[in-house]
Amino acid sequence: MSTVHSAPDPSPQHRPARRSWVEQVMGLPVSVLARGSLAHSSRADEAVQSVYAELREVDRVFSPYRPDSAVSRLGRGELSLAQTDQVVREVADRCSWARDLTGGLFDATRPDGYWDPSGLVKGWAVERASNRLAEVADLDWCLNAGGDVVVLCPSGQPFTVGIQDPRDQGRVATAISCRSGAVAASGTAARGAHLYDPGSGRPASGSWLSISVRGPSLETADVLATAAFVAGDGWPEVLHAAPGYAGLGIATDGTLHATADWTVPTDGADR
C-alpha cells in the first residue's frame, strides 16, 4: 500500500493551489490530488469525474462480486469469451501477456479454474483512466487507487509517495519522491492470504510481508509486484522481466530490502 503527500515547496508562502477528491470505486478508495493554478477549475473537476465514471464502468464489466458482470457470466458458462465485448477480450489478452511476462507467476486463472482478471484489471484500468487527467496538462496529478499510485507532474515538482508498513497500516515504512510513473504494492497485510502460487495452487507465503514496485506503467508494476510476492526470496529477479522497474521488499521482521535503482526517478510509460 502507498500513501501520497505533496513534496515540500521551496517557498511555502507561494505554495500552489491544491484540490483533492475521493470516492469508493471498485471496492476501494480512489483519491485524486491536483496541484496547480487550475486545481479548482471546472476542467479539473470534469477530468476527475471522467476518471470515476470510467472506473465505475470497469467495475460493472469485470467485478467478480457482481452477478451481472461479464466475468461472473463467463464463470457461470452463460457466454463464451468470443461473445463478450472487445474490452473483455482485450483484458484477456493482457492477462496472457502478464502470464508470459512473469513466467507463469501471474495467472488470471485461479486454482479452481475460474477466470478472475482482478489482479490485472485494477492497474490496467487506473492507468488507462489516468489519461483523462493528462488532458489537463498544466496540472500536477496524483491518482491513488487503494495504494496503487500514478503520478503525472508536468511542473517537475515531485509528490512524495509513502510505502505503508504492513505490520502497522497507520505507519509509513519509507517514502520515495516521484515526478512521474507509478508505484504498486502486493502483500497480505490488507486482504490476508489472497495470493496463490499458480504452480502449486497453494496460497503464496514466505518471509516477505509486502513487495512494492515502481516504474513507468502501473499495469506492469502491479503485475510485477504480484509475481514478485509469489516468487518469495527470488523476487528481485522477477523485476528483470521488464526494463525500468525497481522494487522494495519488507520482510516479516520489518527490515527493508531495496533493489539498487529503487530511488532512481522513472519517466514515461512502457505500454
Side-chain angles (χ1 to χ4, degrees):
M1 297 286 287
S2 306
T3 58
V4 182
H5 305 280
S6 294
D9 294 309
S11 303
Q13 66 271 27
H14 300 300
R15 186 168 294 167
R18 292 165 171 79
R19 184 180 179 187
S20 61
W21 299 255
V22 63
E23 287 193 18
Q24 194 80 9
V25 188
M26 299 171 67
L28 47 86
V30 178
S31 65
V32 183
L33 175 61
R35 183 180 62 195
S37 60
L38 295 180
H40 292 273
S41 69
S42 59
R43 285 179 59 202
D45 188 64
E46 289 166 4
V48 173
Q49 296 312 317
S50 68
V51 166
Y52 287 131
E54 184 165 335
L55 294 180
R56 284 192 291 269
E57 174 62 13
V58 167
D59 187 57
R60 184 190 69 80
V61 174
F62 290 100
S63 173
Y65 304 107
R66 297 175 61 120
D68 59 340
S69 73
V71 168
S72 295
R73 295 185 65 201
L74 281 166
R76 294 194 299 268
E78 295 176 4
L79 74 169
S80 67
L81 186 62
Q83 295 171 315
T84 61
D85 292 340
Q86 173 61 34
V87 69
V88 180
R89 284 175 275 138
E90 177 186 344
V91 165
D93 288 342
R94 298 305 295 170
C95 288
S96 296
W97 159 83
R99 184 186 62 241
D100 294 343
L101 177 73
T102 63
L105 290 170
F106 179 101
D107 196 332
T109 302
R110 300 189 322 211
D112 60 6
Y114 188 90
W115 185 66
D116 181 1
S118 300
L120 178 131
V121 162
K122 183 175 75 165
W124 166 83
V126 171
E127 180 174 329
R128 191 175 73 158
S130 71
N131 293 328
R132 309 277 186 151
L133 304 177
E135 293 172 3
V136 190
D138 39 6
L139 278 174
D140 292 343
W141 294 100
C142 187
L143 173 56
N144 186 337
D148 288 347
V149 174
V150 176
V151 171
L152 308 165
C153 292
S155 74
Q157 177 69 27
F159 287 102
T160 298
V161 178
I163 306 302
Q164 188 180 70
D165 186 339
R167 300 174 303 164
D168 180 357
Q169 297 186 41
R171 179 178 176 271
V172 172
T174 189
I176 52 174
S177 181
C178 292
R179 287 188 295 271
S180 68
V183 181
S186 187
T188 57
R191 297 175 54 194
H194 68 289
L195 300 174
Y196 64 90
D197 181 344
S200 67
R202 294 191 294 270
S205 61
S207 55
W208 301 95
L209 293 177
S210 71
I211 306 292
S212 297
V213 175
R214 70 175 302 182
S217 160
L218 180 60
E219 179 190 23
T220 303
D222 207 11
V223 165
L224 291 176
T226 298
F229 189 84
V230 170
D233 290 343
W235 69 263
E237 298 301 315
V238 174
L239 306 190
H240 296 162
Y245 291 82
L248 173 78
I250 301 181
T252 52
D253 63 1
T255 57
L256 309 182
H257 302 262
T259 59
D261 50 354
W262 170 248
T263 58
V264 176
T266 58
D267 296 290
D270 67 344
R271 295 187 65 212

